Amino acid sequence: MTPVHQPMEPAALQGMSVLALAHVGDAVYELLVRTYLARQGGTKVSDLHRRTVAHVSAPAQARAAERLQPILTEEERRLYRRGRNARVHGVPGGCTVAEYHAATALEALFGQLWLTGQTARIETLFACIMEDDDAP
């Protein structure tokens, strides 16, 4: 049986679509947000859920992606552009097409970093996003 989290070689990701990376990154990002909020000491589950949704919504993720732009490596920028340009089928209500594309790009970035075992980089990027956590 393969370990739960065994990093993949970057070459192994070549056959994976950017939307598959975003699928994984969505879960990674939400787990980071949930952990961050739980560690802040909130005890009411309804409050934790409300705050989580506020952070993982497409508009909030688009703002997070904007914060990261100055610190992304060239390789991360290339992946971000691929994610932003991915052909998505429909955009949920409550966000613009641009916000949804930026959110997809952010998720693809977190997905690739997770799948390649770059957890230290994930922590750096997430810390940058949460730096000004007054409101998402």
Side-chain angles (χ1 to χ4, degrees):
M1 179 177 208
T2 304
V4 172
H5 185 254
Q6 180 174 340
M8 297 173 69
E9 293 297 320
L13 295 177
Q14 295 303 318
M16 193 175 289
S17 77
V18 73
L19 293 178
L21 294 174
H23 175 73
V24 172
D26 177 49
V28 171
Y29 191 79
E30 184 163 343
L31 181 59
L32 290 167
V33 168
R34 286 174 178 249
T35 302
Y36 173 83
L37 295 174
R39 285 184 175 161
Q40 287 185 326
T43 55
K44 287 181 68 179
V45 175
S46 60
D47 289 342
L48 286 172
H49 177 72
R50 179 185 48 74
R51 293 176 64 208
T52 297
V53 169
H55 280 78
V56 300
S57 69
Q61 286 183 335
R63 289 189 300 274
E66 188 62 34
R67 280 190 211 137
L68 293 183
Q69 294 307 309
I71 65 168
L72 294 181
T73 66
E74 190 53 42
E75 181 181 339
E76 291 167 347
R77 280 190 185 94
R78 274 193 299 274
L79 176 62
Y80 180 86
R81 281 190 298 272
R82 274 186 59 214
R84 188 189 62 214
N85 294 331
R87 186 169 186 192
V88 296
H89 302 288
V91 174
C95 70
T96 67
V97 172
E99 288 170 334
Y100 193 69
H101 283 281
T104 301
L106 178 74
E107 291 169 350
L109 175 60
F110 273 78
Q112 179 155 321
L113 291 172
W114 173 259
L115 289 172
T116 56
Q118 297 180 63
T119 54
R121 184 62 176 160
I122 290 171
E123 290 174 13
T124 299
L125 296 177
F126 189 71
C128 177
I129 290 168
M130 301 311 283
E131 217 167 61
D132 301 317
D133 185 40
D134 297 331

